[in-house]
Amino acid sequence: MLDTTPLTAAVERFADRLRAAPQSRLQRGAAAEGLALARELAVRAQRLETPGRQPWIMPDAGVFAVADQLVVAGTDLSEALRTGTASPGELHEAVELVEAAARRARL
């Protein structure tokens, strides 16, 4: 089993920054960055949990919901990586995705 603590920690840090951001910053792209990341993490989790099935795309629930969407998707992926047959490389790649999205969001 993989220790997915680095992924959940990175997701929580980014989500906390999104929650603390002013509406203007969220609307200028930070929320879009968070949603794109949440969607990617959700797709990765679904592919691990149900290979062969077309993944569902997370809906846009608005700029104030994106932090929660990110936490849900990150938690799902963390659990899928922890309990599945994922490699340490997949975990490392997911952490890098989160960190890169956080940098692009400029929060």
Side-chain angles (χ1 to χ4, degrees), residues 7-8 11 38 41-42 69-79 98:
L7 176 59
T8 55
V11 166
L41 297 180
Q69 289 179 289
L70 177 57
V71 169
V72 168
T75 301
D76 286 350
L77 179 56
S78 177
E79 186 64 14
V98 175

Side-chain angles (χ1 to χ4, degrees), residues 37-52:
L37 175 62
R39 286 176 170 169
E40 177 61 26
L41 297 180
V43 165
R44 287 172 182 242
Q46 291 174 67
R47 286 187 178 141
L48 288 169
E49 293 169 344
T50 53

